[in-house]
Amino acid sequence: MACVNDCDTHAPEAVGAPPATLKILVAGGFGAGKTTFVGAVSEIEPLSTEELLSGVGASSDPLHGVEEKTTTTVALDFGRITLDERHVLYLFGTPGQHRFWFLWEELCAGALGAVVLADTRRLADCFPAVDFFERRGIAFIVAVNEFDGGHRYGPDEVREAVGLGPEVPVVRCDARLASSGTGALAALVRHLLCMSTASSSSSESGEPL
């Protein structure tokens, strides 16, 4: 917290100024736990756009590995975390199904970074989210959501399977637990700070970014 105190000392906010809002995305495949994650860490009752699954969507929303799932997000999930009196974190959960990906472009506008939830029962489902953020240069981490009964893979195994570079953090997570979700968010913040520091060092040394 020393950095925060230093920032407070050198860049005081105007009295009565509204808090700065910080935007983080929670992405991943269908049924990976995005709605659960946002609901667990949010300090407010999260806004959710879940709808019941029906037989009509069975072909587009295959339930292999997630047979117990009965609802799906059709637009977004929204939650909020107040960090301090000057900073508020907004969480936006993206829809997982391919037919709703057109919403991702709107949701990612202004985002600082993303948590990509990976379900080891359907690990390939996180590939599109990883590709989306890589192509747009948006920093992200991969959080392996460890479902009951699911196989436990080590971070290095997940990294290799997904094809992640060594710079992308891979952490374990239980989306049902607030402490675990905030731990994943903290890992993302550390990653963003490391990237910012590396970028500043390269700029000061005259090296190409």
Side-chain angles (χ1 to χ4, degrees):
M1 298 301 294
C3 178
V4 175
N5 292 334
D6 289 343
C7 292
D8 288 344
T9 300
H10 294 97
E13 293 284 335
V15 176
T21 58
L22 311 172
K23 182 178 182 180
I24 297 294
L25 299 184
V26 180
F30 173 64
K34 301 178 293 296
T35 299
T36 301
F37 183 100
V38 173
V41 300
S42 176
E43 67 188 23
I44 63 172
E45 185 68 26
L47 168 66
S48 179
T49 57
E50 285 200 310
E51 296 291 342
L52 289 173
L53 288 169
S54 65
V56 175
S59 59
S60 57
D61 300 326
L63 298 178
H64 175 66
V66 289
E67 289 81 5
E68 74 284 358
K69 188 169 177 61
T70 59
T71 61
T72 183
T73 297
V74 297
L76 60 88
D77 298 306
F78 173 78
R80 186 186 73 197
I81 302 174
T82 299
L83 302 178
D84 54 41
E85 62 183 14
R86 291 175 48 200
H87 301 90
V88 176
L89 180 64
Y90 288 158
L91 298 173
F92 288 82
T94 65
Q97 306 94 313
H98 184 275
R99 66 183 185 277
F100 296 128
W101 284 357
F102 67 93
L103 294 170
W104 286 33
E105 291 289 353
E106 294 292 335
L107 291 174
C108 77
L112 293 178
V115 173
V116 175
L117 286 177
D119 178 357
T120 56
R121 301 170 301 178
R122 295 155 53 116
L123 192 58
D125 286 2
C126 78
F127 292 178
V130 168
D131 182 64
F132 179 88
F133 295 123
E134 286 182 338
R135 289 178 178 272
R136 288 156 182 80
I138 297 174
F140 67 95
I141 69 166
V142 171
V144 182
N145 192 10
E146 298 189 330
F147 287 87
D148 294 337
H151 187 79
R152 299 293 192 259
Y153 292 97
D156 288 341
E157 292 179 286
V158 174
R159 182 186 305 281
E160 182 177 359
V162 181
L164 299 172
E167 74 284 355
V168 179
V170 179
V171 300
R172 288 189 171 97
C173 174
D174 186 332
R176 300 168 298 182
L177 303 178
S179 58
S180 186
T182 54
L185 292 172
L188 173 61
V189 171
R190 288 193 294 270
H191 180 46
L192 292 170
L193 289 173
C194 287
M195 292 183 63
S196 177
T197 300
S199 178
S200 297
S201 298
S202 298
S203 178
E204 291 174 359
S205 65
E207 298 178 3
L209 299 178

